[in-house]
Amino acid sequence: MKITGLEVLTLPDHGDSMMLVVVDTDEGIHGLGEVGIRSRQRAVAGGLEHLAELIVGEDPRRIEHLWQVMFRRGFFPADRILGAAIAAVDVALWDIRGKALGVPVHELLGGRVRDHVPAYVHVGDGYHDRAWFLDRCRDLVAAGWRHLRFASPHDADGTLDARRCLRDSVDLFHQVRDAVGDEVELILDVHTRLDPPEALTLCREIEAARPFFVEDPLRCENPDSYRMLRTRTGVPLAAGEQYGSKWEFRTLIEDDLIDYARVDVGVAAGLTEAKKIAAMAETHHIKLATHNPLGPVTAASSLQLNLACPNVAIQEHQTDPDPAIAALFTARPTILPGRVELSELPGIGVDIDREAARRYQAAAAERPHLRTADGAFTNW
């Protein structure tokens, strides 16, 4: 079997762009992957053009070999942008391998260790209408969700005042806890918006409300910054969605600075790398909480990883695509309130009507631009 081509599909998704990669072979088997970075897709597209030159004509079954070539060739190792391109190709190669053998990918990763994967849901960003937001939490719980995620608030005009964000986050978290009771797990995503002093106070102020974890309380560039936070708060910490390789995860894992590794299969160089990160995390009793605010392809590849890894806590689920886009997928994961169902379909368990998908051309939406009160740029 030889790789004959690589095609990129861009589909609209709630005002954004879902970037998919199809790898074709001379035996008529194709694989599907998804790019996990939506904010810099033109840069990723350039990486995919380069990767196509490296892999066309190669045997798609040599997944580890091709991963090494894609990540290391050209002298400079891959970064997060190229890592996201590699991730999409790597998942597509696993999809091809599973389809060629007639088995789901989790069988190739060692077989399933669970019957389904627990999932959490996004509440949404309507926290400025507090009554609506709390009703939304209650409705999700009534529908069967047992893990809810929401982000730290910022002002509606795009201003982020760190101290006000701290106060509003603490207030919101306790209100949600009172609204849904003690049996529902709550996840607060700080979204790298706070500096260490505010992040520390926030974590300590919500400890009594027992968060399932606090996600990305600090920026990712310097993992050592988690050392201070780790020693001064008892809340479980989660991080890693912006990391593109096992080497970037190394400090957080080896120094026990987190409780949950937020591996994104579409960013961290694919299933080949994600499985290795999971093994590293297992040696430190760190569980996976896979990142996936994306589409059905990343949901499917995350499902395959999570079915085969023993140290998995939960999988992220944001929302389904718009109905017209969802209809393009001829197979996709079954997501019920609180869980992603087992799939026994060959490959990663998702496929698309490619001819219909080619009719769409979507551009990635620009991320929101937050600023401080004095006009300085700050993290969204």
Side-chain angles (χ1 to χ4, degrees):
M1 189 187 297
K2 300 296 181 185
I3 296 171
T4 57
L6 184 154
E7 181 178 5
V8 177
L9 303 172
T10 53
L11 305 176
D13 184 28
H14 298 290
D16 208 341
S17 174
M18 184 189 309
M19 192 175 193
L20 307 181
V21 172
V22 185
V23 176
D24 287 304
T25 70
D26 60 359
E27 293 189 8
I29 302 173
H30 68 270
L32 194 57
E34 182 173 10
V35 172
I37 291 178
R38 292 193 170 186
S39 57
R40 295 177 175 174
Q41 288 185 350
R42 280 182 287 182
V44 179
L48 288 167
E49 289 182 13
H50 174 67
L51 295 181
E53 297 175 359
L54 299 181
I55 68 171
V56 169
E58 296 291 334
D59 184 344
R61 296 167 297 188
R62 300 185 65 192
I63 298 175
E64 178 67 39
H65 167 71
L66 291 178
W67 190 95
Q68 297 293 334
V69 169
M70 291 188 291
F71 196 92
R72 296 165 59 189
R73 189 165 172 177
F75 183 70
F76 293 96
D79 59 6
R80 296 163 194 172
I81 298 298
L82 189 55
I86 292 171
V89 175
D90 179 81
V91 168
L93 297 180
W94 280 102
D95 193 25
I96 290 169
R97 187 65 166 150
K99 289 173 179 174
L101 295 173
V103 298
V105 165
H106 64 261
E107 293 291 343
L108 306 179
L109 298 175
R112 64 183 176 89
V113 297
R114 53 183 49 83
D115 298 328
H116 66 269
V117 176
Y120 69 83
V121 67
H122 289 206
V123 176
D125 294 327
Y127 38 68
H128 296 294
D129 184 343
R130 196 59 58 89
W132 174 91
F133 192 86
L134 296 177
D135 283 342
R136 165 76 171 157
C137 292
R138 295 185 190 100
D139 289 344
L140 289 169
V141 172
W145 293 96
R146 289 296 176 265
H147 294 77
L148 306 182
R149 173 267 186 199
F150 48 94
S152 289
H154 60 78
D155 291 352
D157 65 355
T159 301
L160 179 70
D161 180 292
R163 300 301 292 181
R164 185 160 60 246
C165 177
L166 160 63
R167 295 191 298 271
D168 289 347
S169 297
V170 171
D171 183 56
L172 177 62
F173 197 90
H174 284 287
Q175 286 188 18
V176 174
R177 171 57 73 207
D178 290 341
V180 301
D182 291 334
E183 298 301 315
V184 177
E185 300 292 352
L186 302 180
I187 296 167
L188 179 64
D189 186 355
V190 183
H191 227 258
T192 75
R193 290 172 181 160
L194 297 180
D195 289 325
E198 288 77 24
L200 173 60
T201 302
L202 169 60
C203 288
R204 297 175 95 169
E205 289 290 323
I206 65 172
E207 278 188 14
R210 298 174 306 282
F212 189 69
F213 57 71
V214 173
E215 178 184 349
D216 287 336
L218 301 171
R219 289 171 58 180
C220 76
E221 293 91 333
N222 177 18
D224 276 321
S225 61
Y226 276 84
R227 205 173 304 279
M228 176 280 297
L229 196 61
R230 185 63 157 172
T231 59
R232 298 172 68 183
T233 180
V235 301
L237 301 176
E241 69 186 58
Q242 295 172 312
Y243 288 156
S245 71
K246 55 184 168 287
W247 288 283
E248 291 193 300
F249 270 95
R250 179 180 173 181
T251 297
L252 290 180
I253 292 174
E254 291 190 351
D255 292 353
D256 297 301
L257 301 183
I258 56 174
D259 301 281
Y260 296 92
R262 300 281 288 134
V263 179
D264 188 323
V265 176
V267 176
L271 284 166
T272 298
E273 188 76 339
K275 181 69 170 173
K276 296 175 183 178
I277 296 167
M280 292 169 60
E282 184 184 4
T283 66
H284 289 260
H285 306 290
I286 293 170
K287 292 190 174 183
L288 298 192
T290 46
H291 179 248
N292 174 39
L294 304 172
V297 178
T298 299
S301 56
S302 299
L303 171 65
Q304 298 300 324
L305 173 71
N306 291 331
L307 285 171
C309 290
N311 55 318
V312 168
I314 202 160
Q315 174 170 331
E316 179 175 12
H317 174 64
Q318 182 174 11
T319 185
D320 291 324
D322 293 325
I325 301 303
L328 298 175
F329 290 91
T330 57
R332 60 192 180 105
T334 299
I335 300 171
L336 303 177
R339 61 197 285 174
V340 187
E341 293 284 83
L342 171 69
S343 172
E344 295 288 5
L345 294 174
I348 63 171
V350 66
D351 218 330
I352 196 167
D353 181 342
R354 204 186 327 182
E355 189 61 37
R358 289 182 180 129
R359 302 187 192 122
Y360 293 88
Q361 286 294 327
E366 183 66 19
R367 302 299 96 178
H369 293 180
L370 297 189
R371 64 187 185 279
T372 58
D374 61 5
F377 177 85
T378 191
N379 278 17
W380 165 65

